[in-house]
Amino acid sequence: AKDFPDIAFARALMVGDSATDLAFGCAAGMRTILIGTLSELPIEEQRLADAAFDSLTSLASYLERGA
């Protein structure tokens, strides 16, 4: 986070499709969104996702509705 002082990580989303994406987001203080299903991740890594969507399209639809 110190390498990117202009980014408000606490207000950012990390969108990814792997546990490493989610772990990065958590470490940076971001909310995390999994593209896929939680059951694709090992149980101990499922807690890394704040939410999950089956596709980027479904996430975009959710965000467009004013989430």
Side-chain angles (χ1 to χ4, degrees):
K2 67 181 179 179
D3 293 333
F4 303 97
D6 295 332
I7 298 174
F9 287 99
R11 296 180 55 211
L13 293 174
M14 175 61 188
V15 178
D17 63 356
S18 69
T20 54
D21 294 337
L22 301 176
F24 171 82
C26 287
M30 295 184 250
R31 292 188 61 206
T32 57
I33 307 293
L34 173 68
I35 300 301
T37 60
L38 288 174
S39 63
E40 296 171 1
L41 297 177
I43 291 172
E44 64 276 4
E45 294 174 346
Q46 291 178 10
R47 64 174 177 75
L48 297 172
D50 292 311
F53 292 86
D54 61 353
S55 67
L56 284 172
T57 302
S58 61
L59 170 59
S61 295
Y62 176 78
L63 294 173
E64 286 174 347
R65 290 192 305 264

